[in-house]
Amino acid sequence: MQKAKILLVDDRPENLLALEAILSALDQTLVRAASGEEALKALLTDDFAVILLDVQMPGMDGFETAAHIKRRERTRDIPIIFLTAINHGPHHTFRGYAAGAVDYISKPFDPWVLRAKVSVFVDLYVKNCQLKEQAALLRLQLDDGRQSNGRQGGDSAEPLLAELSARLASVEEQAEALTKQLGDSPETGAAATAAHLERKLVGLRAALEALRPGAEQA
């Protein structure tokens, strides 16, 4: 599986260099953007697991950049971690969360804490990609199962349905485990996203069960 991409947005090269040094241990793809405009351009073509966004930048600041990101359907669900060198108090922090951030960290920050927070969203992104791949494969096989069920009858399709059910159960267990892992975490944005993934699997399970013989009469 390809590495996750992490977008680093800061107008100061030394800050970008420091972020790269902190996050290099995650062994993911780090993409630089020196302005809000550059960040929005990068988001047009690439998918990112998480965005680290400096609040104070000349021109388009972090709040305005985040507003653009959240307005785009393609990027609205990407987690944003705001980074700021000045703590203006609760109101300023609230503005960051209101802009769509999942976290708001003041500089200087603990490198271990930042790396741990980013790691949560990278893991969630990777799991999300895996679930999407599994779901796409299952949908294809479900379509084949429907065709086979129509041509040959329910009994002949039963082995295929049993195999698909077992694969889906494995994906469901992974999603449930991730939701439980994040359930007690302060990273509420990550927990909510994991729960959403788990709910999406419910529809897939219902579609699979509907293929079983006698499902219409049940």
Side-chain angles (χ1 to χ4, degrees):
M1 187 156 181
Q2 291 186 346
K3 295 181 179 181
K5 292 183 178 180
I6 303 170
L7 184 58
L8 313 177
V9 189
D10 198 304
D11 62 297
R12 299 176 66 88
E14 62 270 27
N15 290 343
L16 291 172
L17 188 62
L19 288 173
E20 288 175 338
I22 293 169
L23 301 176
S24 60
L26 298 179
D27 193 28
Q28 304 299 324
T29 301
L30 306 177
V31 178
R32 284 188 176 200
S35 65
E37 291 84 356
E38 281 190 26
L40 295 177
K41 185 177 180 180
L43 288 162
L44 287 173
T45 55
D46 290 327
D47 294 324
F48 291 90
V50 60
I51 301 169
L52 274 64
L53 180 57
D54 184 43
V55 171
Q56 295 178 304
M57 295 185 293
M60 184 184 296
D61 66 12
F63 295 128
E64 186 179 354
T65 303
H68 283 288
I69 292 172
K70 293 302 176 181
R71 280 199 293 265
R72 293 178 179 177
E73 184 175 356
R74 173 188 172 91
T75 58
R76 64 178 56 164
D77 294 326
I78 302 176
I80 298 174
I81 298 177
F82 272 131
L83 304 176
T84 179
I86 301 178
N87 187 356
H88 293 281
H91 176 74
H92 202 253
T93 303
F94 175 78
R95 186 183 176 192
Y97 287 116
V102 296
D103 211 335
Y104 192 97
I105 303 176
S106 297
K107 304 174 186 176
F109 43 77
D110 186 327
W112 292 94
V113 171
L114 180 64
R115 186 160 52 238
K117 289 177 179 290
V118 172
S119 178
V120 168
F121 291 104
V122 169
D123 290 344
L124 183 58
Y125 175 82
V126 171
K127 186 63 64 179
N128 187 16
C129 291
Q130 292 173 345
L131 291 176
K132 285 181 178 179
E133 291 176 359
Q134 289 281 354
L137 178 60
L138 285 168
R139 288 191 186 99
L140 289 174
Q141 293 178 319
L142 281 172
D143 289 339
D144 291 341
R146 289 190 183 97
Q147 296 173 7
S148 175
N149 201 19
R151 292 193 306 266
Q152 303 173 17
D155 291 341
S156 60
E158 192 62 31
L160 173 60
L161 294 177
E163 179 184 352
L164 293 180
S165 180
R167 291 189 183 184
L168 181 57
S170 176
V171 177
E172 289 169 335
E173 288 178 3
Q174 294 178 50
E176 183 180 1
L178 185 61
T179 301
K180 288 181 178 178
Q181 176 186 340
L182 296 172
D184 299 326
S185 169
E187 307 296 343
T188 54
T193 304
H196 175 67
L197 292 176
E198 192 174 33
R199 289 194 299 271
K200 287 167 64 176
L201 292 173
V202 173
L204 200 56
R205 169 62 68 182
L208 179 60
E209 293 301 323
L211 289 176
R212 296 189 180 280
E216 292 83 4
Q217 291 77 28

